[in-house]
Amino acid sequence: MMSGDDLYRKFVEEGGLNEAYKCVHCGFCLPTCPTYRATWNEADSPRGGRIYLVKALLTGKLQPTETLLKHLDACVICRRCETACPSGVQYSKVLEAAYAYLGSKLIDYGYPWYVRTGFKLLESPTVIKLALSVSSSLPGIPRHMKGGFARSRDVERLDDVLGRVFEVPRDKPVRGGRVLLFTTNSCVAWQSHTHLVYATIRVLTWNGFEVVVPREFKCCGAPYMHMGMFNKALELARHNIDVLDKYDKAYGIDYVVVPDSGGCQAQWLEYERLLNAKLNLKQRVMNTLQLLDKVGLVGELGPR
Ligand code: SF4
Ligand code: SF4
């Protein structure tokens, strides 16, 4: 089993730099990058911005500065640039390498205290709930986000679905498959978008799947991974895989579904690399639409 230090070496020495050198600066990725399209600043693009900057950083040609961090930090890690790249550059590995390289020094480069404190509190369900209820009444929060927060808190509470098994309704076709749903109240995304979790359960049961929602899952680990906190990311990966094993033994799980979230699902698909183990996750971990596309839609779509 790898340690956080082994991962550091793997990501910085084998991963990040190799991937950065694969970039031929063709620019095909530019139109896919939301931060470049928002700023039209090359430094906020993958090509001549972040990949170039990280390469210089990792080879000692550039010192970490607040400006450099600002450009790395603005990346929303959507990984759309990877889908457009003819050279197959795995951009996420480049970014991970930068954060691994900066490691704990990161906080010395202008990260404000509330970001540092926020990271420490990231996993506490109570703190997340409190933060969401305070932030939804702040004047600077966009209205569409407030709507999401309020809906989740007042109407569809995540706690009400955790630890439950949802059967196929009597009037719906039974397919015979069983889905393990990845969601956790120790994640700001699922606490603020609980309506997506409810919708996923509804769509999957109406399409013939029994849905098992464990209470034990924790954060997928992506925020820690992207900040170079590999020991924590490893701990969370091991924990979530243990939860999957436990439910697999108890119920027999056909698929793990992540309610349509790019970040958590992408992190789940990194678990084999992180844990250095064959887990066959690529065949089993998917989002709702991928599963329905794979098995075919049998339920009716419509208002709830
Ligand atoms: S598409 Fe790939 S090779 Fe081309 S500039 Fe972007 S990252 Fe580099
Ligand atoms: S991950 Fe997304 S935001 Fe970051 S460089 Fe790639 S396309 Fe741009």
Side-chain angles (χ1 to χ4, degrees), residues 244 248 253-256 279-286:
L244 169 57
D248 219 357
I253 299 298
D254 298 297
Y255 300 100
V256 178
L279 302 168
N280 292 326
L281 295 180
K282 280 206 176 83
Q283 290 76 41
R284 290 214 292 168
V285 178
M286 51 196 78

Side-chain angles (χ1 to χ4, degrees), residues 32-35 44-46 50 74-81 91:
T32 68
C33 176
T35 59
D44 285 322
S45 79
R50 299 181 184 114
C75 170
V76 294
I77 320 179
C78 62
R79 298 173 65 173
R80 287 180 67 187
C81 47
Y91 165 84

